[in-house]
Amino acid sequence: ETGYISFDPGFANTGSCKSTITYMDGEKGILRYRGIPIEELAEHSSFVETSYLLINGELPTREQLNRTSVQLNDHSLVHEDMQNFYQNFPRASHPMGILSAMVNALRSFYPELLYTDEGFEETFLRLLSKVRTMASMAHKISRGHKVEYPRPDYTYCANFLHMMFNTPVKPYIARKELVKALNVFWILHADHEQNCSTSVVRSVGSARTNIYASLSAGVSALWGALHGGANQAVIQMLTDIHEQGVSVQDVVRRAKDKNDPFRLMGFGHRVYKTYDPRARILKKYVDEVLNRLKLQDPLLDIALELEEVALSDSYFVDYNLYPNVDFYSGILLKAMQIPTNMFTVMFAIGRLPGWIAQWQENLIDPEQRLTRPRQIYIGSNTRPYIPIDERQ
Ligand code: SDX
């Protein structure tokens, strides 16, 4: 009579799944979308093309890519009534909280969710395009600025930068280096197998919840500092080092101290026990973009020193703690002038095609059932009800 139930890991559908979307090898640091290495996609592809690959399973033909771009443009506006939602959020609201609420609200404005093929494509393109517009609206309205509308002659990434930074008095022209950097940033964030937020999207979707509510739940999960919120936490950590003159050695010492809750943000990973392949690409890219734009960022020098000191320390080597996708990504976002509180929103936009592809895969997989993890019960044994006057 131990109070334990027999725990058979295979007993319930715990959300583990078979998938054809993304392959990761945590020991070798390999990441492939539909079999294509991310190194090749980062070099040759665009975020729209990679989104098409993730959702449809194949790279698009030129005709398919052109049609997708036209449809993304057609769906780039947000219902004017949605702007009222933004006006009523307190100014200091975090953009991730706004994004989660607004993605959920899309269901009210676009109730048709056709489960036929063309319906899916329409809904996915609407989400990919409108979420990007909604993110830029959150930024503009939080500053009391006029919302900037998308332009039909701009590509997906150039349009985002336009909507974020263009103003009636100071036109913004996105440098091609920054448009390419944004494509690479979003390609590298596009999917990552069954991470926390993707598992949430699949789990909520397994209840046959609509995709808007499922993605809204994914945005909320990504917000956490140990997950997508880490990119904002890394920049805060590097800024503190820079502004407070804390030595990198002290930071590494604190991260190792088990009595100190501080962790080295942007280091370590649930799956990668070697260098995160995305971090390797971002590290190279940041350097290139800063040099091309003739930008200096002391945080990059601090990050490079922090990585060198940490990776020469047995604690990090023995625990297989290496830079992850968040360690250098914030420095690239800073170069694009993205405000720090929008960093995790940038991660969420990038992860959209992966969430969509995984939600769809879960829905159409006949073997996938309602996610229902079980537990190991360690509570009280059976005991009687005690009337309130007899309780101690
Ligand atoms: C993302 O899953 C995904 O795919 C996520 C993601 C995606 O694309 O979706 O890749 C995005 O979330 C990347 C991770 C971003 N988070 C951070 O950078 C926050 C800092 N990192 C950690 O909090 C941590 O590394 C986690 C949360 C990422 C992983 O935590 P685990 O699973 O506990 O790490 P582990 O088992 O490898 O830890 C081994 C030891 C532990 O010590 P003990 O408790 O056994 O004594 O290393 C310690 C950990 O405490 N440790 C760290 C550390 N990370 C782990 N110590 C100091 N600094 C760190 N960063």
Side-chain angles (χ1 to χ4, degrees), residues 192 226-227 263-264 266-267 269-270 273 278 315 351:
H192 213 234
L226 294 188
H227 190 14
R263 282 190 157 179
L264 198 55
F267 256 73
H269 199 273
R270 295 310 305 269
K273 299 309 168 190
R278 302 168 295 176
Y315 173 92
R351 187 52 54 89

Side-chain angles (χ1 to χ4, degrees), residues 24 192 195-197 225-228 230 255-256 258 262-271 273 276 278 315-316 319 321 324-326 347 351:
M24 280 174 73
H192 213 234
N195 57 84
C196 175
S197 52
L226 294 188
H227 190 14
K256 292 161 59 179
K258 290 303 170 191
F262 173 76
R263 282 190 157 179
L264 198 55
M265 300 315 279
F267 256 73
H269 199 273
R270 295 310 305 269
V271 176
K273 299 309 168 190
D276 182 331
R278 302 168 295 176
Y315 173 92
F316 289 88
Y319 272 137
L321 303 177
N324 60 49
V325 67
D326 295 306
F347 192 146
R351 187 52 54 89

Side-chain angles (χ1 to χ4, degrees), residues 290-304:
L290 292 182
N291 285 334
R292 276 211 217 120
L293 297 180
K294 297 186 180 26
L295 293 175
Q296 288 288 330
D297 188 343
L299 300 191
L300 177 59
D301 303 330
I302 293 171
L304 292 168

